[in-house]
């Protein structure tokens, strides 16, 4: 371990670990694996029941932060206070919905001595679900056709074009494969209530689901690319088990994306590989996936590489990883004290 990384303090969001887990705990495990027990992890939470708050062997202290809808002023004020207590070296946000604010305040954080490693607002917008089809057309990527849904009536046009089944997606999260208009309407109203409009209707592509976790250097290159095939998928479409695979076409696709966008930071490509051999990009998530610990297990620790790059170290791109590494997600009951819940709820710190 290089001495320059002693007493490192890193703040991480995304501490939820339910059936639709955030990436935070996987990012923390990866960081701990690289930097050891000397690393101090500060959890940044939105809710009082995010499991990471209570996993004290992984998270040293947690602070609640304001919801993204409260804007940048509230966030910078809270982070200023947290930094006074903790002297943060780096912050790694892990939710799509909070990235806009974190990118906006990155220069202020830098002045406070807090590093980050994030895409630009332009890069963030390019791969937005609303713009993905246009982006794909411009750069000759396969992307399913889509319709932006602002009202329930818009579903009729989408159904006429795509027929069933089709996929109904929230602006930030969640996706449902629907087979009838009733199911489509239910999904639309549910996603609209949770994430607002537009809700996206997307053409349903049949094939094998593959995800790619990657880390872009902001100069058009990837430092790391690890591909995983989903083996077990929840009703929310989340991978509950998966195995690392190697395929030059997947590597080439991720490299083409990095080149087209100059992406900086972690990202995930959700791919459908069809019988005809086409790789359709279903989504590009602008942060590490919840399964990112698999990258560390396979030999390319992406969160650790991001941390080192954010702190100014030049990282040589990884060239290989282990295929056949399997992850299986599991649920278990972590026991905490109600006093801890009351503490974080009342004072926003634990």
């Amino acid at each position: 371990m290089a001495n320059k990384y002693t007493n490192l303090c890193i703040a991480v969001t995304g501490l939820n670990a339910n059936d639709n887990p955030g990436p935070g705990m996987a990012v923390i495990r990866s960081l701990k694996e690289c930097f050891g027990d000397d690393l101090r992890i500060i959890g940044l939470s939105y809710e009082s029941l995010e499991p990471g708050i209570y996993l004290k062997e992984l998270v040293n202290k947690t602070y609640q932060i304001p919801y993204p809808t409260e804007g940048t002023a509230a966030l910078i004020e809270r982070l200023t206070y947290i930094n006074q207590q903790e002297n943060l070296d780096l912050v790694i946000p892990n939710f799509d919905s909070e990235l806009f604010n974190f990118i906006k305040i990155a220069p202020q954080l830098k002045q406070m001595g807090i590093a980050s490693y994030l895409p630009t607002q332009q890069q963030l917008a390019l791969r937005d679900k609303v713009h993905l089809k246009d982006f794909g057309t411009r750069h000759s990527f396969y992307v399913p056709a889509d319709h932006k849904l602002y009202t329930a009536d818009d579903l009729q046009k989408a159904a006429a074009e795509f027929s069933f089944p089709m996929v109904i997606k929230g602006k930030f999260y969640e996706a449902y494969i629907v087979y009838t208009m009733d199911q489509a309407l239910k999904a639309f109203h549910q996603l609209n209530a949770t994430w607002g409009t537009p809700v996206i209707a997307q053409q349903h592509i049949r094939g094998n689901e593959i995800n790619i976790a990657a880390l872009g250097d902001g100069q058009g290159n990837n430092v790391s690319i690890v591909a995983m095939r989903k083996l077990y998928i929840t009703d929310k479409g989340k991978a509950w088990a998966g195995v690392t695979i190697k395929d030059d076409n997947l590597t080439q696709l991720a490299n083409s994306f990095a080149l087209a966008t100059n992406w900086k930071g972690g990202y995930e490509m959700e791919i459908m590989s069809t019988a005809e051999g086409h790789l359709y990009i279903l989504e590009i998530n602008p942060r590490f996936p919840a399964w990112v610990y698999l990258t560390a297990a396979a030999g390319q620790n992406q969160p650790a590489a991001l941390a080192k790059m954010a702190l100014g170290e030049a990282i040589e791109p990884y060239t290989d990883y282990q295929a056949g590494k399997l992850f299986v997600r599991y649920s278990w009951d972590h026991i905490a004290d109600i006093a801890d819940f009351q503490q974080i709820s009342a004072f926003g710190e634990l």
Side-chain angles (χ1 to χ4, degrees):
M1 182 59 50
N3 288 336
K4 62 179 170 175
Y5 293 123
T6 53
N7 303 318
L8 204 53
C9 185
I10 301 179
V12 179
T13 71
L15 307 182
N16 65 323
N18 52 20
D19 62 339
N20 188 6
M25 299 316 298
V27 167
I28 291 166
R29 286 179 73 193
S30 304
L31 294 171
K32 287 270 191 187
E33 196 156 288
C34 175
F35 298 113
D37 293 335
D38 203 27
L39 172 66
R40 183 166 170 81
I41 292 287
I42 303 302
L44 303 177
S45 71
Y46 293 101
E47 306 274 348
S48 299
L49 282 174
E50 292 178 30
I53 299 168
Y54 307 97
L55 296 171
K56 293 179 180 177
E57 68 281 8
L58 290 171
V59 181
N60 298 88
K61 182 159 183 181
T62 301
Y63 294 85
Q64 284 199 330
I65 57 173
Y67 285 106
T69 48
E70 292 183 45
T72 52
L75 180 60
I76 200 79
E77 184 184 336
R78 185 62 172 155
L79 289 174
T80 300
Y81 166 77
I82 295 167
N83 191 47
Q84 285 164 354
Q85 312 304 310
E86 302 293 346
N87 196 19
L88 301 174
D89 293 298
L90 170 65
V91 62
I92 304 177
N94 292 298
F95 284 137
D96 303 31
S97 52
E98 67 189 356
L99 284 178
F100 181 87
N101 287 345
F102 273 98
I103 292 167
K104 213 165 178 182
I105 66 168
Q108 287 163 277
L109 293 178
K110 193 176 177 184
Q111 285 179 335
M112 290 158 58
I114 305 171
S116 58
Y117 203 80
L118 297 165
T120 63
Q121 297 289 11
Q122 290 82 359
Q123 289 166 345
L124 191 64
L126 277 177
R127 41 62 41 205
D128 192 292
K129 291 178 195 177
V130 178
H131 305 136
L132 186 61
K133 179 62 181 167
D134 298 338
F135 171 76
T137 303
R138 272 203 314 279
H139 296 284
S140 303
F141 294 127
Y142 287 100
V143 176
D146 65 23
H147 268 287
K148 284 79 177 167
L149 310 175
Y150 294 92
T151 67
D153 293 343
D154 293 335
L155 266 171
Q156 301 290 350
K157 297 173 204 160
E161 185 179 336
F162 302 148
S163 73
F164 290 100
M166 62 181 171
V167 186
I168 309 292
K169 295 184 167 189
K171 187 161 62 169
F172 291 119
Y173 298 106
E174 295 182 66
Y176 299 98
I177 299 174
V178 295
Y179 297 87
T180 65
M181 186 53 81
D182 281 349
Q183 289 179 347
L185 284 164
K186 184 183 173 189
F188 170 80
H189 289 303
Q190 194 172 327
L191 294 169
N192 182 21
T194 310
W195 305 111
T197 56
V199 174
I200 291 108
Q202 195 177 63
Q203 174 192 8
H204 182 253
I205 306 289
R206 287 177 181 26
N208 289 319
E209 281 196 57
I210 294 166
N211 289 22
I212 302 169
L215 175 59
D217 68 357
Q219 309 292 319
N221 310 298
N222 286 306
V223 172
S224 168
I225 302 168
V226 175
M228 175 272 289
R229 185 161 65 83
K230 292 181 179 181
L231 295 179
Y232 186 89
I233 301 167
T234 69
D235 58 353
K236 285 193 166 73
K238 297 293 156 190
W240 209 252
V243 62
T244 53
I245 59 170
K246 284 184 190 170
D247 184 332
D248 290 344
N249 293 325
L250 295 169
T251 304
Q252 198 177 331
L253 183 64
N255 282 333
S256 298
F257 172 76
L259 192 61
T261 58
N262 288 329
W263 190 268
K264 183 180 178 186
Y267 65 96
E268 177 191 31
M269 303 182 84
E270 297 189 22
I271 308 295
M272 192 66 82
S273 176
T274 68
E276 300 78 45
H278 298 316
L279 297 175
Y280 275 86
I281 301 173
L282 305 182
E283 281 182 28
I284 298 170
N285 297 314
R287 35 79 196 162
F288 288 132
W291 57 272
V292 73
Y293 184 65
L294 185 62
T295 68
Q300 297 192 14
N301 191 328
Q302 292 182 0
L306 179 142
K308 290 176 180 179
M309 289 160 76
L311 296 169
E313 186 177 330
I315 296 286
E316 283 294 313
Y318 288 102
T319 54
D320 198 18
Y321 63 90
Q322 204 175 332
K325 275 286 181 189
L326 178 77
F327 87 88
V328 180
R329 198 165 279 155
Y330 63 95
S331 301
W332 70 320
D333 299 331
H334 181 74
I335 307 304
D337 202 292
I338 191 68
D340 287 345
F341 171 73
Q342 290 166 337
Q343 170 81 19
I344 189 86
S345 300
F347 301 105
E349 292 181 33
L350 180 63

